[in-house]
Amino acid sequence: MALPGKIRIIAGQWRGRKLDVMDAEGLRPTPDRIRETLFNWLQTLIPAANCLDLYAGTGALAFEALSREAMSVVMIENNPSLVKQLQNHATTLKSDRHEINQTDALAWLKNNDKTFDIIFLDPPFNKGLVEKSLQIIKDKQLLNANGRVYVEAERSSILPEGWQVIKEKHAGQVSAMLISRIIKMIRAIYPGTFDPITNGHVDIMQRASGLFEQTIFAVADNTSKKALFSVEERAALAKEALAHISNVEVVTFHSLITDLAKKYEAKVIIRGLRAVSDFDYEFQMAGMNRQILPGIETVFLTPEDNLSCVSSSLVREIASYHGDVSKFVHAKVADALKTKFPA
C-alpha cells in the first residue's frame, strides 16, 4: 500500500515509484485498487494513446498512463499549488510526454480543439462538473471515434444523452465508469428506377456498404416512365442481386427522394456516375435536394471501369434482340429478361 501522503505508480516503466501528495480541498487521489481496475480496462488502449487528465489533482491517473506507454498526456488543474506539485512529479520521473496547464477545466475545454483517445474525468464532487464536462466533450467532438472516458463521480450522477457505460464499478457512494460516445448510425439512400438492376448498380452498392452503416436501395415507382418490370418485380430482383450485402435494405417508394430520406432518417443520397456527361444533371439534382431538405448530402460513386458502359436501358435493348446479357446483370435478372422477351 502507498504510504500516507503518497501515491504509488502501479505498473509500467515507473512501477513502484511513490509521489508526495499534498492536502488540498476536494482532492481525492484515486485509490490503488480502483486505478488497477481502470488500467486493466484500458490495457489494450493505453499504449500510444493521447490522453487528457481534465481535473488532474495529484496526477495519479496521468502519470500511471505515461508509465504504461501512453503517447502523451495533457493535464488540466486550476489550483496553483497542485500545478507546482504536478511539475515536481514530472521532474522527479523525468517525464517528457506531458503538458501541464493551470486553468479552469471547463474554460479550457471550450477553447480546445485537440482530440483525445482517452479522457480521465475525476472532478470535485457535488458541483455538476461531470455532466458539464461531458456535454462540452460531446458537442465539440473532442473524443476520438473509438475513444473512452473514465468517470469517477457520485453514484447519483447521471450521464448526459449520447453516452453509454462500457464498464462500471461501485465503491460506497462512488461510481467508477468507463464510457464511450453513442455513435449514431449514418444511413444512406441509393434511389433509382433500376429497370432492371445491373451489375453497375450492384458495384455501387458494394462500395456504399463499406462507407455507411446501412444503405437503403430505393426502387422508384415512377409513373412518368413506362417500365419493363413492375416496381414489385424490380424490388424482388434487387433483393436477389444484393443478397450478399448484409447492410442493405431494399424498399419501394412513390414520393420525393427527400421525403424518403426523412422517413428513413438518412443523411446521404448516393448517386452513381458512369461518365462526365452524368455530372451536370446530378449536380443540379444534388443542389435541389439540399434546397428542399437542408442538411442532406449527395455522395457520387463510380463503378468499376468495365461496368461504366452498363445501363438498364442498354441491357433492356440487348435483351429485346435476344442478346446475351449475363455479363451485365445477375443470373436471376437475366432469366427475368428472357421471360419478358421470349424467343
Side-chain angles (χ1 to χ4, degrees):
M1 294 179 61
L3 295 173
K6 291 184 179 291
I7 55 171
R8 178 176 64 90
I9 295 177
I10 298 168
Q13 71 179 102
W14 300 323
R15 179 179 179 180
R17 298 289 294 273
K18 294 174 182 176
L19 303 172
D20 292 331
V21 176
M22 65 178 291
D23 185 20
E25 183 181 354
L27 188 66
R28 351 168 288 284
T30 301
D32 283 11
R33 184 174 297 178
I34 296 294
R35 261 188 299 139
E36 192 158 8
T37 296
L38 165 62
F39 284 94
N40 283 338
W41 291 344
L42 294 173
Q43 60 182 330
T44 61
L45 302 176
I46 281 288
N50 291 306
C51 306
L52 169 64
D53 192 355
L54 193 54
Y55 298 87
T58 64
L61 298 176
F63 290 113
E64 188 75 43
L66 288 168
S67 180
R68 298 180 188 229
E69 300 183 350
M71 177 71 72
S72 67
V73 178
V74 175
M75 293 176 248
I76 308 299
E77 176 54 56
N78 204 25
N79 184 319
S81 297
L82 290 175
V83 169
K84 185 174 181 180
Q85 180 178 257
L86 291 171
Q87 292 168 339
N88 290 339
H89 291 344
T91 300
T92 299
L93 296 170
K94 298 181 180 179
S95 170
D96 59 0
R97 304 190 313 279
H98 70 278
E99 175 186 325
I100 301 171
N101 295 283
Q102 182 183 333
T103 185
D104 176 76
L106 296 180
W108 185 88
L109 280 178
K110 291 175 182 176
N111 292 309
N112 169 68
D113 291 317
K114 184 179 179 180
T115 60
F116 298 92
D117 303 304
I118 296 170
I119 297 177
F120 301 113
L121 183 54
D122 179 15
F125 283 1
N126 302 313
K127 295 184 179 182
L129 293 173
V130 166
E131 294 86 348
K132 292 175 184 176
S133 300
L134 288 174
Q135 193 64 50
I136 299 172
I137 291 167
K138 185 183 79 168
D139 291 345
K140 294 201 65 181
Q141 299 181 27
L142 301 180
L143 184 68
N144 290 329
N146 295 314
R148 298 288 185 268
V149 178
Y150 169 70
V151 177
E152 191 172 318
E154 311 95 310
R155 198 164 181 171
S156 59
S157 293
I158 298 174
L159 298 180
E161 184 180 353
W163 296 93
Q164 61 185 345
V165 177
I166 306 297
K167 302 278 189 179
E168 189 171 17
K169 184 172 183 177
H170 300 294
Q173 295 304 307
V174 178
S175 287
M177 296 176 284
L178 194 65
I179 67 174
S180 68
R181 286 288 316 279
I182 297 174
I183 306 298
K184 290 185 177 180
M185 177 182 289
I186 300 177
R187 186 178 287 119
I189 288 180
Y190 182 24
T193 307
F194 307 117
D195 185 33
I197 184 172
T198 70
N199 289 345
H201 299 136
V202 174
D203 184 84
I204 293 294
M205 282 305 298
Q206 287 175 323
R207 296 173 189 280
S209 70
L211 298 174
F212 304 100
E213 288 84 354
Q214 185 183 26
T215 305
I216 308 296
F217 189 85
V219 182
D221 183 12
N222 190 343
T223 55
S224 66
K225 288 185 178 181
K226 184 173 176 56
L228 176 64
F229 293 97
S230 70
V231 67
E232 292 80 15
E233 289 173 325
R234 284 178 274 138
L237 291 172
K239 289 178 181 178
E240 292 282 357
L242 301 171
H244 62 291
I245 306 176
S246 61
N247 58 341
V248 172
E249 180 182 356
V250 178
V251 302
T252 62
F253 73 104
H254 183 69
S255 67
L256 291 173
I257 294 171
T258 49
D259 289 338
L260 187 70
K262 284 192 285 187
K263 177 181 177 180
Y264 285 95
E265 298 183 340
K267 300 297 184 185
V268 174
I269 295 172
I270 299 291
R271 299 300 292 165
L273 293 180
R274 291 171 298 162
V276 175
S277 57
D278 291 342
F279 183 74
D280 286 343
Y281 172 77
E282 294 294 349
F283 183 80
Q284 183 180 10
M285 286 299 299
M288 183 58 70
N289 286 331
R290 192 181 291 134
Q291 289 292 321
I292 297 171
L293 183 60
I296 194 72
E297 299 292 347
T298 300
V299 172
F300 299 111
L301 298 177
T302 58
E304 286 284 354
D305 292 346
N306 65 313
L307 296 172
S308 62
C309 61
V310 179
S311 69
S312 296
S313 58
L314 286 175
V315 166
R316 291 196 306 271
E317 184 172 358
I318 294 168
S320 71
Y321 288 101
H322 309 116
D324 181 11
V325 296
S326 60
K327 292 190 297 184
F328 312 127
V329 296
H330 187 275
K332 293 283 187 180
V333 178
D335 290 342
L337 285 165
K338 289 177 183 178
T339 65
K340 293 292 184 180
F341 300 108

